[in-house]
Amino acid sequence: MTGFVRLAGESETRAMRLDLTVRSGEVLLPHRTTDGAVTGRVRIAGRADDAQATGTMEISPLARRRIRYRIGFTAEGRRYSLDGWKSISPARPVKSMTVLPFSLFEDGEEAGKGTLRFPLSTQLLPFLAGFRFPRREDAAAQLAPRWDGSAGRTEVWYTTVTDPATRSGLWLHHELVAPSDGSDAYAHGWVARFPADGEGPVEHARFGPQPWKSQPGARGFASEGIEAGPGRLRGEAGPFSWDLAEHPQDEPLFTFPRWSWRRPLLPAAQIVPAPRASYTGTFAYDGGELELDGAPGATARIYGHGNARRWAWLHAGLGGGDVLEIVAATSMRPGLRRLPPLVFLRLRKDGRTWPRRAERTAVGWAGLGRFKARLSLPTWTVTGRAGLRRIRVEVTQPEERTLALDYTDPDGSGAVCRNSETADARIVLERWRGRWRTEAEWSLDGTAHAEVGDR
């Protein structure tokens, strides 16, 4: 949609454009109200060009005779919200469906007014062609519990978030454990806050264990008031309480081969249902509260027989829609535990995922060209080459920004992870063009999410 806006304190209007994608977990029917999550780009001439805008849309052309937009975006370092709706009129169906009057707000105060229009002559056909039925592999579908009642299984839902206002890192870990001895499965987990560098110690609290109650048709983790499901995370543990809305902005990322998630033949597999998401809501802790508004983060899943012998993990939001996910691990299984860590690396850049096959970084071609990980603390590295590209990743987890926590596997054995939601990362991607030339570089200072674990 294109149009104009007059900002508070200005006498002239500015050109404005919205390019939006709307996703809903249900089929759009005109006679009922449908809620959708909005992602896209907001441009205001001379003031804003935010490609990470997020919000909600209420689509109710007959039931309430309106289509309402609520979109948050950033302009010159300041946070604005757009609130507007199309009032559907049977007497003027075309005009009422294509004209969007709106107001802009900053900190609850009106900051501008404007009108946007949907150009039928150029955008109607692309708009109609853009309709899709919900995909089977959307984020919501991947959050449903996988456990089938078998003994000796672990299932994890975890979310990591960076608050851009305070640079704090958040970690919400939800876990189902089915002991190997056949005793009752239980649910537990923890929540942690990682203050920005030098602003205090890492704080955390555990919840559970509580008996796991199977819920037919469940859409995520739910136990004793703790929830992690499509679009919402909420709960209380110790001095912490949180209520966050999650807005996925990209399709799931399969860190391991797709078949390993659908058919659990490996010791464990990981998937990132929401590799790039925004979070809005409140996160309270002892002595304060964070008001999140479009905070970047991700939600991932693990399903398997327990923790690896040694492992490392990285999630890095690189900006501009790019994201890097790494899992490097040595299995506990006999014959595999003496091998160096297998690396699963997936870089989503410019809408494409490299390498094209997840197996490539772990096994290469008959073992040749496999990616390599050197695991230690405070710094660990991953390097490798696939096709005409090679990458080097260096992750640093300063001790004061790292939290050590104990894990218990289904067989009762223990492991320790050392996690930092405010880690540093240096990433260099090169491409062969007669010689190796730098294609892209990223430097993350306190906004990478990383972990190293061992026995």
Side-chain angles (χ1 to χ4, degrees), residues 346-369:
R346 307 292 275 160
L347 172 65
R348 182 166 287 170
K349 180 178 181 292
D350 300 329
R352 296 189 176 187
T353 303
W354 174 85
R356 285 190 297 175
R357 296 189 62 85
E359 300 92 336
R360 176 67 181 85
T361 61
V363 299
W365 294 303
L368 298 174

Side-chain angles (χ1 to χ4, degrees), residues 92-276:
R92 296 176 288 113
V94 175
K95 182 178 180 180
S96 62
M97 287 284 286
T98 59
V99 177
L100 174 66
F102 67 89
S103 296
L104 293 183
F105 294 91
E106 181 185 12
D107 295 330
E109 299 293 330
E110 188 172 273
K113 283 182 171 293
T115 302
L116 295 167
R117 290 176 171 80
F118 179 80
L120 290 173
S121 59
T122 59
Q123 294 299 314
L124 180 59
L125 288 179
F127 171 75
L128 295 175
F131 275 88
R132 297 288 187 274
F133 284 102
R135 294 185 58 173
R136 185 169 177 261
E137 292 177 348
D138 64 4
Q142 304 301 338
L143 292 175
R146 298 288 309 279
W147 185 52
D148 60 1
S150 302
R153 296 292 189 275
T154 296
E155 184 164 5
V156 178
W157 296 253
Y158 66 93
T159 298
T160 58
V161 182
T162 298
D163 176 26
T166 64
R167 294 181 61 82
S168 299
L170 308 178
W171 182 22
L172 301 173
H173 180 102
H174 315 80
E175 186 169 328
L176 157 67
V177 178
S180 300
D181 62 8
S183 55
D184 292 340
Y186 61 89
H188 74 118
W190 51 81
V191 53
R193 183 181 74 95
F194 295 73
D197 191 17
E199 296 185 3
V202 180
E203 303 168 320
H204 81 285
R206 292 181 182 264
F207 54 85
Q210 296 288 342
W212 176 261
K213 299 177 182 178
S214 296
Q215 304 171 29
R219 303 179 68 194
F221 177 96
S223 176
E224 300 298 325
I226 309 288
E227 298 179 23
R232 181 56 60 94
L233 300 108
R234 68 178 79 182
E236 295 182 8
F240 297 95
S241 64
W242 61 97
D243 189 349
L244 304 176
E246 179 183 73
H247 302 284
Q249 299 174 338
D250 209 345
E251 64 182 17
L253 182 65
F254 288 82
T255 318
F256 284 55
R258 290 175 183 253
W259 58 262
S260 69
W261 183 252
R262 295 169 180 160
R263 296 183 292 276
L265 302 177
L266 298 180
Q270 189 246 27
I271 181 179
V272 194
R276 189 170 61 89

Side-chain angles (χ1 to χ4, degrees), residues 345 354 369-372 382-386 389-392:
L345 179 150
W354 174 85
R370 183 176 61 80
F371 283 43
K372 296 176 181 172
V382 168
T383 57
R385 170 184 173 180
R389 284 191 174 106
R390 71 180 184 185
I391 194 169
R392 175 177 174 80

